[in-house]
Amino acid sequence: MPDVDTGNIPAPAPAVEAPAQFTLFSRWLHWAMAIMIVAMLFIGAAMVASLADYHLLLAVHRPLGVGVLVLGVIRLVNRFTSRLPPHPKSMGSAERRAATLSEYALYALMLSQPLIGWGMVSASGTPLKLFGPVRLPAVLPHDPGLYAVLNDMHMVLGYALFLLFTVHMLAVLFHTLVLRDRLLDRMALWKVQRKKH
């Protein structure tokens, strides 16, 4: 049997270790959007409860919603172009699938809510004012019936976003305070040392 020359066969590349955290940009984006969404939810609830401050709240709600839409698109692109840290070993396959599905649902709501709000304003026949003379163009024709449908959708999806956001926070608190599996480390703003085994 002839000898096989292995001198020119390249050595296998070393395995790339998964990151312990999301990228710093991803983490800042996550927490910035979390603050904006909490503010949006509270402002939306206050708009329903307080007619006296409605116009002031609306003046804040609209540009904040546009900001959520812009950052949501950036975050979605960043999500699928960045390497992700692994889930804690305490999470089973079913819980990991549920976490992924809830993440996708959050993305869908974060993007759809501002778009529905934009369409709702357009259907009402009023311009979408951001600040000063800056306005966004209408994306739908003036239609009172369509406005009523979009208004109901905006409210229902707002409740859905609040519910999903609350479940997300409770799950993180459970992992952090009860399981103590350092799930929060993946998205912590501070640098986390990789746990040695």
Side-chain angles (χ1 to χ4, degrees), residues 94-172:
E95 188 179 359
R96 294 183 187 193
R97 282 194 296 271
T100 300
L101 289 175
S102 67
E103 180 189 8
Y104 291 157
L106 277 171
Y107 278 121
L109 289 170
M110 286 188 296
L111 295 176
S112 63
Q113 271 293 78
L115 289 173
I116 291 172
W118 189 354
M120 184 177 69
V121 174
S122 300
S124 72
T126 58
L128 179 52
K129 299 179 182 178
L130 295 183
F131 44 86
V134 180
R135 301 180 178 185
L136 291 181
V139 292
L140 291 173
H142 179 208
D143 185 334
L146 180 58
Y147 167 79
V149 171
L150 292 175
N151 185 55
D152 289 342
M153 287 179 62
H154 198 60
M155 184 172 294
V156 170
L157 292 181
Y159 285 122
L161 180 58
F162 173 77
L163 179 62
L164 193 56
F165 193 83
T166 302
V167 170
H168 175 73
M169 288 191 298
L170 291 175
V172 172

Side-chain angles (χ1 to χ4, degrees), residues 28-43 61 63-72 161 165:
W28 276 106
L29 199 57
H30 172 89
W31 291 109
M33 288 199 68
I35 293 170
M36 292 172 68
I37 290 171
V38 169
M40 287 283 290
L41 291 171
F42 276 102
I43 291 172
H61 186 79
L64 198 56
V66 173
V68 168
L69 177 61
V70 172
L71 290 184
L161 180 58
F165 193 83

